[in-house]
Amino acid sequence: MGRQIAYDPVEMRRRLLDQFWAAGFAETSLSDLEAATGLNRRQLYNGPGDKRAMFLTALDDFSDVAGRRFLAALEDARSGLAEIAALLRSFVALARAGEGPGGCMVCSASQEEIARDPDVALRIDAYFARIEQAYRTALANAAGRGEIRLSADQLESRAAHLFGLHVALCILGRAGYAPDRLERMAEDAIAGLT
Amino acid sequence: MGRQIAYDPVEMRRRLLDQFWAAGFAETSLSDLEAATGLNRRQLYNGPGDKRAMFLTALDDFSDVAGRRFLAALEDARSGLAEIAALLRSFVALARAGEGPGGCMVCSASQEEIARDPDVALRIDAYFARIEQAYRTALANAAGRGEIRLSADQLESRAAHLFGLHVALCILGRAGYAPDRLERMAEDAIAGLT
DNA sequence: GACAATCTTCACCGATCGGTGATTAATTCC
DNA sequence: GGAATTAATCACCGATCGGTGAAGATTGTC
């Protein structure tokens, strides 16, 4: 019972995500969140809770959205070198387009003070692990299909390596680093796969 | 003429650097700077100027300190693959030790709002370019000495690639990512050099 | 329709933010 | 030693921070 909410909670979470994605935790104020959602702060507090709780749900939403958009293709059983190359190149294309919030919310958040919060750290670690696992999966698929030859140890290291490139492309993309340099970065990594 | 300052301005700048290096711009308050230096804010304002100006000098000091400590070996005419490997491994060792402010001040700052300030962006771009140039130099030295064979185009891409790894190690080191994973990341990149 | 529960609206809270005015203390020039 | 100049100290500024109290509006239950 009780009065029903006058806004779309799904849309609200989407806008909270956009705001936190673009500006991080510390540099997002409650006033920013009000402006992003069109709600006042008393309404915001009817949702997940305080600013930190809103950030936690935004991190969860990011993992969901970005995981589906970027990692799902690698996590698929049919993935291989082509999907790895496509993903790295997509970051270059995104940097070139300059659209959207920019970069990876988790990568950027990992540099903030709030990353020391246990609940935040848990989510950051989980998303990092998922990225690395996605590359591991795609590499294992490629090896199983005979696209490449890798020992188990090499596969581990190669996955870590690709994860590093992934992070660098996200960080530098957000930083506005020259897309041409990012392209070289990605292409050299792709060339090193075979 | 006039009263002379009662503190060591060099030490003051060193402590300002430490504070900004550890916490960035937005998450460092004037009170933090007072605590870090032992001075009150009125004294701080006798130095470089306001908070932004202090951050700019800290960025300059960082480029100086970190350039000397990490990049100088690559910029030397005697550098080669060994120096590249040693640098990447030193980031792993730093992450394992967990000492110091952590990470690279410029990499972290590039994710903050203040990175859009033209004077800040200038310094970030310059330091990034210096890192990439350092790898380019070491690679060119190695090629000239016959350690590796690289076309001019490959050298460009390889330098960008190593720069990316460099950034990833700094970012993930600060984020507290498992040093064992960082080691795999670095070792795979080193193995890919030859 | 009485009642309870929930949401909306608006104003307000103490704390902290970056930055400064005014006074006093030290130093050099003459 | 007097004047001029600069630093140190302390209190203080308006603005913004994250968060909340209180009252009215809207809903479901009975």
Side-chain angles (χ1 to χ4, degrees):
Chain A
M1 56 158 55
R3 182 172 179 174
Q4 55 201 12
I5 58 178
Y7 54 87
D8 179 0
V10 175
E11 180 68 11
M12 168 197 177
R13 284 180 64 154
R14 207 187 57 77
R15 297 198 181 193
L16 289 179
L17 170 58
D18 281 348
Q19 173 61 41
F20 279 126
W21 192 342
F25 180 80
E27 299 192 273
T28 289
S29 69
L30 284 183
S31 302
D32 292 330
L33 295 173
E34 289 180 321
T37 58
L39 308 175
N40 66 49
R41 59 191 59 193
R42 212 68 181 75
Q43 289 173 290
L44 291 174
Y45 273 72
N46 290 334
D50 60 6
K51 185 187 171 190
R52 175 179 163 279
M54 288 188 254
F55 188 66
L56 289 177
T57 69
L59 280 173
D60 289 335
D61 290 346
F62 175 84
S63 298
D64 213 48
V65 169
R68 198 185 334 268
R69 177 164 175 193
F70 299 114
L71 303 182
L74 298 194
E75 291 164 342
D76 189 284
R78 289 161 300 183
S79 68
L81 298 191
E83 281 71 26
I84 293 176
L87 179 56
L88 296 180
R89 289 186 177 121
S90 77
F91 289 136
V92 178
L94 279 176
R96 199 161 259 135
E99 58 93 30
C104 161
M105 178 183 173
V106 170
C107 294
S108 301
S110 75
Q111 303 300 292
E112 291 197 67
E113 166 101 42
I114 191 77
R116 299 174 180 273
D117 177 295
D119 293 317
V120 174
L122 211 69
R123 286 162 172 82
I124 292 174
D125 290 347
Y127 189 69
F128 279 169
R130 180 174 172 189
I131 301 175
E132 196 166 348
Q133 176 62 38
Y135 284 104
R136 195 181 291 117
T137 298
L139 286 171
N141 290 345
R145 205 177 301 118
E147 292 185 26
I148 46 174
R149 290 180 58 88
L150 285 177
S151 71
D153 195 68
Q154 285 174 323
L155 190 146
E156 271 308 305
S157 298
R158 186 61 50 85
H161 185 168
L162 288 170
F163 167 56
L165 256 294
H166 182 113
V167 169
L169 289 171
C170 290
I171 291 288
L172 293 171
R174 180 180 169 113
Y177 198 69
D180 288 353
R181 305 305 302 171
L182 296 185
E183 180 168 18
R184 285 192 173 274
M185 189 179 302
E187 291 303 329
D188 197 63
I190 292 168
L193 286 177
T194 54
Chain B
M1 57 157 53
R3 183 171 177 173
Q4 56 201 14
I5 59 177
Y7 54 88
D8 179 0
V10 175
E11 179 70 10
M12 167 196 178
R13 285 180 63 154
R14 207 186 57 77
R15 297 198 181 194
L16 290 179
L17 170 58
D18 282 348
Q19 173 61 40
F20 279 125
W21 192 341
F25 180 79
E27 300 193 273
T28 290
S29 69
L30 285 182
S31 302
D32 292 330
L33 296 173
E34 289 180 321
T37 57
L39 307 175
N40 66 50
R41 60 190 60 194
R42 213 68 179 76
Q43 288 174 288
L44 291 174
Y45 273 72
N46 290 336
D50 62 6
K51 186 188 171 191
R52 176 179 162 281
M54 288 189 253
F55 188 67
L56 289 176
T57 70
L59 280 173
D60 290 335
D61 290 348
F62 175 84
S63 298
D64 212 49
V65 168
R68 198 183 338 265
R69 177 165 174 192
F70 298 114
L71 304 182
L74 298 194
E75 291 164 341
D76 190 284
R78 289 162 300 183
S79 69
L81 298 191
E83 281 69 27
I84 292 176
L87 178 57
L88 296 180
R89 289 188 176 119
S90 77
F91 288 136
V92 178
L94 278 176
R96 198 160 259 134
E99 58 92 31
C104 160
M105 178 182 172
V106 170
C107 294
S108 302
S110 75
Q111 304 298 295
E112 292 197 66
E113 167 101 45
I114 190 78
R116 299 173 179 273
D117 177 295
D119 293 318
V120 173
L122 213 69
R123 286 162 171 83
I124 291 174
D125 290 346
Y127 189 69
F128 280 169
R130 181 174 171 188
I131 301 175
E132 199 167 346
Q133 177 61 38
Y135 285 104
R136 194 181 290 116
T137 298
L139 286 171
N141 290 344
R145 205 178 301 120
E147 292 184 28
I148 46 174
R149 290 179 58 88
L150 286 177
S151 70
D153 195 66
Q154 285 174 323
L155 191 145
E156 270 308 304
S157 299
R158 184 60 50 86
H161 185 168
L162 288 169
F163 167 56
L165 255 295
H166 182 113
V167 169
L169 289 170
C170 291
I171 290 288
L172 293 170
R174 179 180 170 111
Y177 199 68
D180 288 353
R181 306 305 304 172
L182 297 185
E183 180 167 17
R184 284 191 174 275
M185 189 179 302
E187 292 302 330
D188 197 62
I190 292 167
L193 286 177
T194 54

